[in-house]
Amino acid sequence: MSKYSANCRPVVAIVDAVSAGALVTQEMAGHYDLIHIESDVAVNALSHPRFHKHHFKAFYHWDRSQAEKCLEQIALHNPLAIIPGHESAVKLSEKIAWSINGDGNNPATTALRRNKFLMNEAVGRAGLKTVKQAASDDPCVLKNWFRQYGQSKVVVKPLDSAGSDDVYICMNEAQVEDAARTITSKINIMHNRNEKALIQQFIEGKEHVVNTVSLNGKHKVTDVWRVSKKLSVGRNLYDFDELCPPRAPETERCIAYTLKALDAIGIVKGAGHTELILSPDGPKLIEVGARVSGAANPEAIRIATGSDQLELIRYAYTCPESFYQASERYQLIRPLRCVHAIASQTGPFSHAELRSFLETLPGFVSAVMKIAEGARLKPTTDVYSCPAAFFLTGISEQDIAQDYVRYRQWEAANL
């Protein structure tokens, strides 16, 4: 545990401020002094390409064997808020916030917000439609479940990871067994050993994402996206996401389901990133992350809606009056598409080369580079091997589609 300097302004603590947590950092840095808490040494924030060390006045490594001492040191800063920056931070940030400030999401129910099996069970108990599922550390048990389930396609994944880490679409018993053995033999990207694998019904329908911010159980919807994917060797790769009209019937159905799901898993304060499938018989949950969206991008989303999840996060944690005054639901000012880069080549990744091409597209707004300049590209297989994401807007969806086609053509030859 170490400090860089004393704080002089009100303090906000961010746990694991990597990836989307870097955007939380930027949102808070102009208003507050920041301290960083690393939940596990495996996070290795100081070496992460999306970590803004210069914004933090103090840096702490959480030591489970000295938890009380860590809490005492953090409490000395009298933090106004403790915010998770990444999925890996959810458990610890809830524990610290409850211990120091006595508010936020109850750590006694954190498992409902991390364990996908328990999460779906809780949502089902609330009367919402859910997928059929089972969890086991024995691949034979999961094979038997697949056989008895009797459908042609299932999803096998870790219980408590994130993104598309080891998420497999399986169509026979051998694939189920291979996926289960792969999952239960390793430590996931949240730095936890996979004790079990989860098998779930594959849901036909369009995937949607609903982003929210909550305070004292009051939920506000900041953006809803319709997700398009590409199937590649048993893995679904993110292709692009389109911002949905806020009052469209499909959006209404997704929002109504999500607000009940947030209550069911105990999100009373902070961000919610809910993924669901709009199936023929209604929405069904994939999972909820109690943290900001990995596709958060203030510049682009504020152009399209006038606000965004990060702004409302700042309000919820530090300025409740502004949170309550904000609209219950976003408005759609301009169409917006988030495009996920899909690499097919190996070699050094050039930020400048990609950005130079993107700037030739009339609708290009902004980009997030997800791997470091010069880092070696490898073919994209999941969220964490996606090298970049960028946003396109225009007068119409047709304008955006033209830019998208031009990009994919360039990508095929250059990335």
Side-chain angles (χ1 to χ4, degrees), residues 132-153:
K132 294 180 174 66
Q133 61 176 6
S136 178
D137 60 356
D138 185 346
C140 292
V141 171
L142 301 183
K143 278 201 308 180
N144 289 338
W145 187 92
F146 173 78
R147 187 182 310 120
Q148 293 168 9
Y149 171 58
Q151 298 298 313
S152 62
K153 194 183 300 185

Side-chain angles (χ1 to χ4, degrees), residues 3-236:
K3 294 183 181 179
Y4 294 141
S5 66
N7 297 281
C8 55
R9 295 187 296 175
V11 170
V12 166
I14 303 176
V15 184
D16 295 347
V18 298
S19 297
L23 295 170
V24 177
T25 301
Q26 292 173 318
E27 181 67 29
M28 295 292 174
H31 305 272
Y32 305 99
D33 278 351
L34 304 181
I35 64 172
H36 186 262
I37 305 165
E38 191 171 71
S39 68
D40 189 283
V41 293
V43 175
N44 198 14
L46 292 173
S47 298
H48 197 283
R50 294 181 67 195
F51 176 68
H52 300 313
K53 173 184 173 181
H54 62 284
H55 282 309
F56 292 96
K57 303 297 184 181
F59 190 101
Y60 295 99
H61 297 284
W62 184 259
D63 185 343
R64 292 182 182 86
S65 66
Q66 300 186 59
E68 290 304 318
K69 182 179 178 181
C70 291
L71 282 172
E72 290 172 4
Q73 292 294 319
I74 294 165
L76 290 175
H77 293 277
N78 192 27
L80 185 62
I82 296 94
I83 306 174
H86 188 255
E87 189 73 30
S88 60
V90 169
K91 182 177 180 179
L92 181 59
S93 61
E94 292 184 351
K95 172 185 174 68
I96 295 173
W98 198 264
S99 298
I100 294 178
N101 293 338
D103 74 347
N105 302 329
N106 189 340
T109 60
T110 294
L112 301 182
R113 296 178 289 282
R114 288 291 302 118
N115 183 301
K116 296 177 178 61
F117 180 87
L118 297 178
M119 181 185 295
N120 269 277
E121 293 293 298
V123 168
R125 287 194 298 272
L128 298 172
K129 293 176 181 176
T130 58
V131 296
K132 294 180 174 66
Q133 61 176 6
S136 178
D137 60 356
D138 185 346
C140 292
V141 171
L142 301 183
K143 278 201 308 180
N144 289 338
W145 187 92
F146 173 78
R147 187 182 310 120
Q148 293 168 9
Y149 171 58
Q151 298 298 313
S152 62
K153 194 183 300 185
V154 295
V155 178
V156 181
K157 59 187 176 182
L159 279 175
D160 65 350
S161 194
S164 51
D165 177 38
D166 277 326
V167 176
Y168 298 96
I169 297 171
C170 302
M171 290 174 276
N172 56 55
E173 291 182 32
Q175 290 177 349
V176 169
E177 181 171 6
D178 287 347
R181 292 193 185 282
T182 297
I183 290 166
T184 56
S185 69
K186 65 197 297 187
I187 293 173
N188 62 42
I189 56 168
M190 295 296 105
H191 320 297
N192 300 319
R193 179 166 293 282
N194 291 324
E195 301 294 343
K196 296 180 179 181
L198 175 64
I199 188 169
Q200 292 182 324
Q201 165 192 11
F202 182 90
I203 319 166
E204 298 292 348
K206 199 66 175 177
E207 181 174 339
H208 286 72
V209 170
V210 181
N211 292 318
T212 54
V213 178
S214 305
L215 179 60
N216 295 327
K218 177 71 172 177
H219 312 302
K220 302 211 172 184
V221 181
T222 59
D223 44 304
V224 178
W225 300 82
R226 184 170 50 253
V227 178
S228 293
K229 294 184 177 182
K230 291 182 176 181
L231 183 62
S232 175
V233 196
R235 309 294 298 276
N236 259 330

Side-chain angles (χ1 to χ4, degrees), residues 334 357-365 391-395 399-400 402-404 406:
R334 301 190 69 177
F357 174 78
L358 293 176
E359 288 175 350
T360 69
L361 301 176
F364 172 65
V365 180
F391 288 80
L392 298 171
T393 190
I395 302 301
D399 295 335
I400 294 174
Q402 289 175 1
D403 284 351
Y404 167 81
R406 281 188 58 200

